[in-house]
């Protein structure tokens, strides 16, 4: 059942981060007045992002529910438990994981409802808040919620780590959608939107990357404990791969910010710069998905600090 759990965890993390990243992007990327010529393109893009939030919210809820039989089978150490409703009840109402997961599913239900209701001025903000609660509540389960010395501080740290991941990794989804339209055959109307949104994304990204690095370091100290554990345990080596992927993402982001984005100021260089930027963002997305795959596996393994103590 572990392989199934890993796949469900991956889809759930990806959906939860994407829906929050899309919602946050809708709120911060296009502040200020919009020229009449850009208004229709902005409205069309926002409609696409709103649909993306609906898809992400539904996937997050479905995978949150699918996680229950996976965990039930692991706790009971039998595949039959995945088909036993009484085991579900025992997991949800008789364990700390279950209590936290009920809240998590509740946030997921609220997220779906807020995403599918008719558009209102407050709707995007409320849906994004529900997405944030859904994402942050993942910090209440897993290694952070187990006593490895961090206590409530570890849980708070993990919630901050997830939030920063949603801002950056999740934010790459709407950024890619916007750039794909800007490099398309009818992309001229989206070029001003890209020029307006990219500086905002970069500024938010700086804070998100710094927070990811800080909270990731804290997690590593609590769950690995030493350099020997990092290189001598399967958990530590897989975590080192995650760190390498993160550093590769940072390198791509710096290339985007300091080499490609400035070229957008030159109208003659804009088409090539946008195409290069789009390809780079797709590369960042691939690295981000690889990180989520690694995280999905790490969550099913005992931390390095525990393995070293055996």
């Amino acid at each position: 059942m572990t392989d199934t759990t890993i796949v469900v965890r991956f889809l759930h993390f990806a959906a939860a981060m994407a829906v929050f990243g899309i919602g946050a992007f809708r709120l911060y990327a296009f502040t200020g007045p919009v020229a009449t010529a850009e208004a229709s393109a902005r409205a069309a893009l926002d409609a696409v992002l709103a649909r993306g939030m609906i898809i992400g919210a539904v996937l997050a809820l479905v995978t949150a529910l699918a996680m229950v039989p996976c965990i039930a089978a692991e706790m009971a150490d039998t595949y039959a438990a995945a088909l036993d409703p009484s085991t579900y009840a025992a997991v949800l109402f008789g364990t700390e994981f279950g209590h936290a997961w009920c809240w998590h599913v509740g946030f997921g239900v609220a997220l779906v409802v807020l995403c599918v209701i008719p558009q209102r001025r407050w709707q995007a903000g409320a849906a994004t808040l529900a997405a944030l609660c859904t994402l942050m509540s993942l910090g209440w389960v897993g290694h952070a919620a187990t006593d490895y010395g961090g206590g409530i501080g570890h849980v708070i740290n993990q919630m901050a780590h997830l939030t920063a991941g949603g801002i950056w990794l999740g934010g790459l989804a709407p950024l890619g959608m916007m750039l794909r339209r800007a490099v398309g055959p009818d992309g001229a109307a989206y070029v001003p939107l890209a020029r307006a949104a990219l500086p905002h994304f970069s500024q938010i990204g700086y804070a998100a990357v710094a927070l990811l690095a800080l909270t990731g370091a804290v997690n590593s100290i609590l769950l690995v404990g030493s350099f020997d554990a990092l290189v001598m345990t399967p958990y530590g080596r897989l975590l080192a791969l995650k760190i390498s992927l993160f550093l590769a993402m940072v390198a791509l982001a710096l290339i985007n910010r300091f080499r490609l984005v400035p070229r957008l100021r030159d109208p003659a260089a804009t088409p090539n710069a946008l195409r290069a930027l789009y390809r780079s963002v797709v590369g960042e997305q691939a690295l981000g998905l690889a990180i989520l795959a690694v995280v999905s596996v790490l969550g099913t393994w005992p931390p390095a600090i525990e393995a070293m103590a055996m």
Side-chain angles (χ1 to χ4, degrees):
M1 201 70 185
T2 300
D3 291 344
T4 302
T5 302
I6 290 171
V7 172
V8 173
R9 279 172 55 86
F10 170 76
L11 293 174
H12 186 64
F13 272 96
M17 286 197 170
V19 71
F20 173 59
I22 293 171
F25 187 88
R26 293 174 70 192
L27 297 180
Y28 70 71
F30 303 112
T31 57
V34 181
T36 304
E38 301 168 19
S40 60
R42 178 169 168 179
L45 177 63
D46 193 67
V48 170
L49 297 181
R51 288 195 294 272
M53 287 190 73
I54 293 173
I55 294 170
V58 171
L59 180 58
L61 179 58
V62 169
T63 50
L65 295 172
M67 188 67 72
V68 177
C70 294
I71 298 300
E74 290 188 3
M75 288 185 173
D77 197 23
T78 172
Y79 287 100
L83 304 175
D84 183 6
S86 64
T87 306
Y88 302 169
V91 170
L92 289 173
F93 306 119
T95 66
E96 291 185 7
F97 165 85
H99 298 155
W101 205 250
C102 285
W103 279 100
H104 180 67
V105 170
F107 288 134
V109 171
L111 174 60
V112 171
V113 171
L114 288 168
C115 284
V116 301
I117 62 175
Q119 294 280 336
R120 297 289 188 273
R121 291 186 63 182
W122 52 266
Q123 186 259 355
T128 302
L129 178 60
L132 175 61
C133 292
T134 302
L135 182 59
M136 289 178 66
S137 61
L138 285 170
W140 302 347
V141 297
H143 293 327
T146 308
D147 187 13
Y148 288 109
I152 188 63
H154 194 181
V155 173
I156 293 172
N157 183 80
Q158 181 65 4
M159 291 167 66
H161 192 68
L162 289 164
T163 301
I167 287 287
W168 188 27
L169 275 67
L172 290 171
L175 185 65
M177 293 179 195
M178 180 187 67
L179 291 173
R180 181 165 58 85
R181 288 174 171 259
V183 301
D186 301 318
Y190 293 92
V191 173
L193 297 183
R195 288 197 181 104
L198 283 164
H200 295 299
F201 181 82
S202 295
Q203 291 163 9
I204 294 290
Y206 290 146
V209 169
L211 185 58
L212 273 171
L214 177 61
T215 53
V218 172
N219 279 340
S220 298
I221 291 170
L222 292 172
L223 297 177
V224 178
S226 67
F227 181 77
D228 286 345
L230 185 67
V231 298
M232 293 176 60
T233 64
Y235 185 99
R237 289 190 289 270
L238 193 56
L239 178 61
L241 174 61
K242 176 191 171 185
I243 295 170
S244 299
L245 292 169
F246 171 76
L247 293 176
M249 281 192 72
V250 172
L252 270 181
L254 291 174
I255 292 172
N256 294 345
R257 177 64 184 88
F258 294 108
R259 291 190 59 185
L260 299 180
V261 171
R263 291 169 57 189
L264 297 180
R265 303 190 191 104
D266 181 0
T270 292
N272 289 334
L274 279 174
R275 283 190 288 271
L277 189 58
Y278 175 60
R279 289 193 296 269
S280 183
V281 167
V282 170
E284 280 191 72
Q285 290 173 336
L287 289 170
L289 290 174
I291 288 174
L292 292 182
V294 170
V295 168
S296 300
V297 175
L298 287 174
T300 65
W301 288 4
I305 196 168
E306 180 179 313
M308 291 293 284
M310 292 179 179

